[in-house]
Amino acid sequence: MGTSLMSNAAVARLRQWLVAQPRHGKRTVLLVNDFGLLLIAVWLAFSLRWGRLYVPENLALTVVLLAAPVTGLLAFHAFGLYQLVTRYLGMRGMMRILTGVGVSVLLWSLVVLMVVGRGDPDVQFPRSVVFIYAMIAGFLVWASREVAAYVLKDSLGSSVRGVERRRVAIYGAGAAGVQLLDALRRSGGYEPVGFVDDQPSLIGQSIAGLKVYRVDKLPRLVERDGVKEVLLAVPERQRRERQTIIRAIARHAVRVRTMPAIEDIASGRISVSDLKPIEVDELLGREPVPPDPALLSRPILGKCVMVTGAGGSIGFELTRQIVRQRPRRLVLFEMSETALYEVETEIMDGLAKAAADAPNAPARPDIIGVLGSVLDEALLERTIKALSVETIYHAAAYKHVPIVEANAVAGLRNNTFGTRVIAEVAERCGVGRVTLISTDKAVRPTNIMGASKRLAEQIFQAAAAETPGTTVFTMVRFGNVLDSSGSVVRRFRKQIEDGGPVTVTHRDVIRYFMSIPEAATLVIQASAMARGGEVFVLDMGDPVKIDELARSMIRLMGREVQDAANPDGDIAIEYVGLRPGEKLYEELLIDGRTTETEHPRIRRISEPFLVRAELDRELKTLDDAMTAGRLDAIQGVLSRAVEDYRPEAKALPAEPAAWAPTSRAIH
């Protein structure tokens, strides 16, 4: 044991000495090492060929022996072997060693030919020595690098820094995975234990010193090797493949994180410290359809565009995408001072950076922030007239179902009557195009929020029918967006980080999800196709059971679900019951009839509505009931004015037929 400790201490001292040497000192050590090893290799080649310890008989053979390491060093230098970091040699370094040895043997053969080829009978040189030397030289140089790598890599480990290295597996044994392995080894904070891949040709192979395992071997890596994380080394452009991989990994209790683009790591712009968790849209999302540039720019390019609710989840993303289409002016209309500050600051900073990067780019749009409510008719009219607003995206709304259910008057005032103010002012000021951001909850609503948005839709429908061609009023209806304010995804993530439990309303509740950027892009394209009065619905993709979403998120964050089958798990799931006004499933269509549009994920529908005179009477009755605080009268108006409004239907049975591919837009 004492000898072992002394040996370890000696190795540690050697390691520290080597690491402390300047670059030229380390290269000198390598040159001396390689010269000695190549000299040993050529001597062994002669000794093995003659079957005895070889001693050169004359000066010519001594020159031949010494020429071997000299030509070897020249070849190694020419192929850049001494520019590589020894402890991260990898496959590229191995190939350089083999290439250098091959070229050096050719050069050495020329020297032998010049010295021995003169026909001197005292100089005997068997040709087999060349091949024996090549094999021994390649092995010795490679082995020396492996030993050096083993010694030096440990200098970055916990024994020196006192930091525990995280044991990880890398999914993807291709070029990206090998580059990621090199980056991890350079960082010193990780201990890769193996690759995981689904390609049969790679499984069981050893790449850069690590074995490649099948995905179903992950539990073994977790239990035997203590793997806590899987790092995804699959390019983001392979979105569908990444989703399949993530779903497969999600069955196991390991944290999954993804790397920045490998080219960014290689160029030094991003380091391994930029590891980021897998975003849920990787698990739920679908292959995006590239936007149509003509549709995106049609309602925006060169115009003054206003976004109401600009600081909300959808409004914020709309402003980001609108500014890329080069409007003349962008008006940010927002009721919250904090939200207005945040959106205005981000947009201004982004424009300043873009101008610095491209000084010859077209002129930046004017960014105007307006603090106020959509119920302030005078402010809206002054703003639209003074700034010559031509396009409006109306995203301002109260959207949280339980909150609006408990504050019916405030919800209806903002969502319904605020929309009427927008419609009236836009029509009076001659705004060219106004788009309402609506919701799936407006279809057969069971809550005040959904009913308020359906009334808002009818206001736009009636306005379009009353003044065709003057102002184009249209609506875009869609469901849940990922990671928005109040999103179930955001709530689940926080509950898991806090140690649980994760609260799910019902085991069978189903929702469709879309990313915020995709939703905003589709909204802009839908508004460009509007003729007036129609409702556009967005294809929301495939359905997701919220219970399964919660379980997948728990596992992807490296925890185990605690349930009857696994009582020792980390995070429990509690079923708390549907909230007031909540359904088991949502839908986007009232009568189910849609027509195609220019975009494959946008459908157009024409739905019935109350004519303006009748709608105005109902809104007057509703306003009186709200002023008096009479909830029964409010419910009466909603029951008459909103199709299939059923406040008593808190939970509707899930109908599998609603999920069929022919009804993919149903939410």
Side-chain angles (χ1 to χ4, degrees):
M1 181 175 178
T3 303
S4 175
L5 288 174
M6 289 178 63
S7 175
N8 290 339
V11 171
R13 285 196 297 272
L14 174 62
R15 180 191 308 131
Q16 292 173 10
W17 179 82
L18 286 172
V19 172
Q21 295 304 304
R23 182 178 300 177
H24 67 271
K26 294 173 183 175
R27 289 184 180 174
T28 301
V29 171
L30 286 176
L31 287 167
V32 172
N33 171 80
D34 291 348
F35 186 90
L37 290 179
L38 294 175
L39 189 59
I40 292 172
V42 71
W43 175 76
L44 282 174
F46 274 102
S47 297
L48 290 172
R49 173 61 182 82
W50 294 117
R52 57 182 172 82
L53 296 178
Y54 180 73
V55 176
E57 292 92 357
N58 52 51
L59 179 61
L61 288 175
T62 301
V63 170
V64 167
L65 246 70
L66 293 175
V70 172
T71 55
L73 295 184
L74 292 173
F76 290 167
H77 177 74
F79 285 96
L81 186 61
Y82 299 119
Q83 276 71 50
L84 297 179
V85 180
T86 302
R87 58 179 177 266
Y88 311 120
L89 212 57
M91 186 58 66
R92 183 174 62 170
M94 178 65 177
M95 294 306 299
R96 289 195 188 185
I97 290 174
L98 295 178
T99 305
V101 168
V103 171
S104 73
V105 167
L106 291 176
L107 293 175
W108 184 51
S109 299
L110 293 176
V111 173
V112 170
L113 185 63
M114 288 187 293
V115 174
V116 179
R118 294 177 303 175
D120 188 341
D122 294 330
V123 179
Q124 297 184 18
F125 187 92
R127 285 173 292 182
S128 59
V129 168
V130 174
F131 301 102
I132 298 172
Y133 164 68
M135 290 186 290
I136 297 175
F139 172 77
L140 289 179
V141 175
W142 171 79
S144 72
R145 295 305 194 274
E146 288 295 306
V147 171
Y150 176 79
V151 171
L152 292 172
K153 281 175 189 174
D154 197 48
S155 66
L156 296 176
S158 57
S159 62
V160 174
R161 295 190 178 182
V163 177
E164 183 181 357
R165 297 169 67 188
R166 283 173 281 183
R167 298 174 72 81
V168 299
I170 300 172
Y171 196 108
V178 174
Q179 291 182 53
L180 174 55
L181 175 63
D182 286 343
L184 293 175
R185 286 173 170 170
R186 283 196 299 272
S187 75
Y190 298 85
E191 185 178 350
V193 301
F195 287 102
V196 178
D197 211 301
D198 57 0
Q199 295 188 45
S201 60
L202 294 176
I203 293 169
Q205 302 294 319
S206 180
I207 297 178
L210 296 182
K211 187 176 178 179
V212 182
Y213 298 89
R214 295 194 305 269
V215 182
D216 59 11
K217 296 295 183 183
L218 262 178
R220 178 182 173 189
L221 293 176
V222 172
E223 294 175 10
R224 185 192 67 186
D225 299 316
V227 168
K228 298 297 183 185
E229 294 184 18
V230 175
L231 307 181
L232 198 60
V234 178
E236 289 188 8
R237 62 181 178 272
Q238 298 174 243
R239 186 178 181 88
R240 188 172 298 278
E241 182 181 347
R242 282 169 64 93
Q243 289 172 359
T244 302
I245 291 167
I246 292 166
R247 290 189 180 110
I249 298 174
R251 293 192 288 267
H252 309 286
V254 290
R255 181 184 293 270
V256 182
R257 293 203 281 175
T258 187
M259 294 298 303
I262 292 297
E263 57 268 23
D264 287 337
I265 297 175
S267 67
R269 293 192 296 270
I270 298 177
S271 69
V272 176
S273 61
D274 292 301
L275 277 164
K276 60 181 182 179
I278 287 290
E279 298 297 334
V280 180
D281 61 346
E282 296 259 27
L283 189 64
L284 303 180
R286 63 267 177 81
E287 198 73 27
V289 172
D292 183 337
L295 288 178
L296 278 178
S297 63
R298 189 184 299 169
I300 297 171
L301 180 63
K303 298 180 179 179
C304 177
V305 181
M306 182 169 80
V307 179
T308 69
S313 301
I314 292 295
F316 208 137
E317 183 61 32
L318 280 170
T319 64
R320 293 187 185 104
Q321 301 204 20
I322 288 169
V323 80
R324 296 179 196 138
Q325 303 306 316
R326 292 185 290 138
R328 184 180 79 259
R329 181 179 296 123
L330 176 57
V331 183
L332 310 173
F333 199 96
E334 173 57 53
M335 184 169 61
S336 165
E337 180 192 27
T338 302
L340 179 60
Y341 171 78
E342 290 177 354
V343 63
E344 190 172 9
T345 300
E346 179 178 311
I347 297 300
M348 295 293 287
D349 289 350
L351 288 172
K353 184 178 184 302
D357 293 340
N360 296 324
R364 297 190 295 172
D366 296 328
I367 306 298
I368 310 295
V370 179
L371 185 65
S373 166
V374 291
L375 290 165
D376 190 337
E377 185 172 349
L379 174 63
L380 272 172
E381 186 162 352
R382 285 197 307 272
T383 300
I384 291 173
K385 285 183 175 178
L387 301 176
S388 302
V389 173
E390 299 165 84
T391 301
I392 297 176
Y393 292 95
H394 178 39
Y398 292 146
K399 66 176 186 177
H400 296 289
V401 170
I403 293 178
V404 175
E405 198 72 12
N407 298 272
V409 173
L412 286 162
R413 186 75 64 193
N414 188 72
N415 294 358
T416 300
F417 289 88
T419 300
R420 185 168 72 166
V421 172
I422 286 282
E424 291 175 350
V425 173
E427 184 180 338
R428 197 159 56 239
C429 296
V431 175
R433 189 176 300 266
V434 189
T435 302
L436 169 67
I437 311 302
S438 192
T439 171
D440 53 355
K441 294 173 179 62
V443 178
R444 282 179 274 278
T446 60
N447 52 67
I448 297 291
M449 196 283 280
S452 72
K453 293 297 284 184
R454 177 58 190 142
L455 281 175
E457 290 181 352
Q458 292 199 53
I459 289 168
F460 266 42
Q461 289 174 299
E466 191 78 13
T467 56
T470 305
T471 298
V472 176
F473 291 97
T474 192
M475 296 129 278
V476 183
R477 191 188 287 161
F478 56 93
N480 295 286
V481 288
L482 288 167
D483 224 14
S484 63
S485 171
S487 162
V488 66
V489 170
R490 187 177 294 187
R491 180 172 175 79
F492 283 175
R493 185 183 295 121
K494 185 177 188 307
Q495 289 177 332
I496 296 168
E497 290 171 348
D498 292 343
V502 172
T503 54
V504 176
T505 55
H506 193 285
R507 290 181 185 273
D508 298 322
V509 70
I510 291 169
R511 293 290 182 267
Y512 288 67
F513 289 91
M514 175 184 289
S515 72
I516 295 176
E518 183 183 13
T521 303
L522 291 175
V523 164
I524 295 172
Q525 293 175 93
S527 72
M529 297 184 287
R531 295 190 287 265
E534 68 271 79
V535 178
F536 291 98
V537 294
L538 307 185
D539 176 359
M540 297 296 294
D542 298 321
V544 176
K545 284 192 73 172
I546 299 301
D547 184 45
E548 293 178 2
L549 170 63
R551 294 174 183 273
S552 296
M553 288 187 65
I554 290 170
R555 288 190 289 263
L556 284 174
M557 293 179 70
R559 314 291 181 84
E560 292 186 0
V561 179
Q562 183 187 88
D563 53 20
N566 184 21
D568 297 325
D570 305 303
I571 306 292
I573 295 178
E574 290 186 1
Y575 300 97
V576 297
L578 293 171
R579 299 175 299 178
E582 191 172 37
K583 299 180 184 181
L584 280 179
Y585 68 94
E586 303 288 356
E587 47 195 333
L588 284 172
L589 308 179
I590 292 177
D591 59 11
R593 293 192 298 272
T594 67
T595 57
E596 294 182 349
T597 67
E598 299 172 49
H599 196 286
R601 286 190 177 159
I602 303 174
R603 307 284 292 182
R604 176 186 281 110
I605 55 177
S606 295
E607 293 181 337
F609 59 93
L610 298 178
V611 296
R612 175 171 280 187
E614 186 178 352
L615 180 61
D616 285 345
R617 284 195 299 271
E618 293 289 7
L619 290 178
K620 175 64 170 64
T621 305
L622 180 61
D623 189 23
D624 292 341
M626 291 164 56
T627 302
R630 292 183 54 202
L631 187 59
D632 57 336
I634 291 173
Q635 294 286 9
V637 174
L638 298 181
S639 297
R640 292 193 304 272
V642 177
E643 309 95 322
D644 297 321
Y645 174 60
R646 293 177 289 176
E648 74 286 350
K650 301 304 183 188
L652 301 180
E655 300 177 10
W659 314 336
T662 54
S663 302
R664 283 175 56 110
I666 291 178
H667 183 336

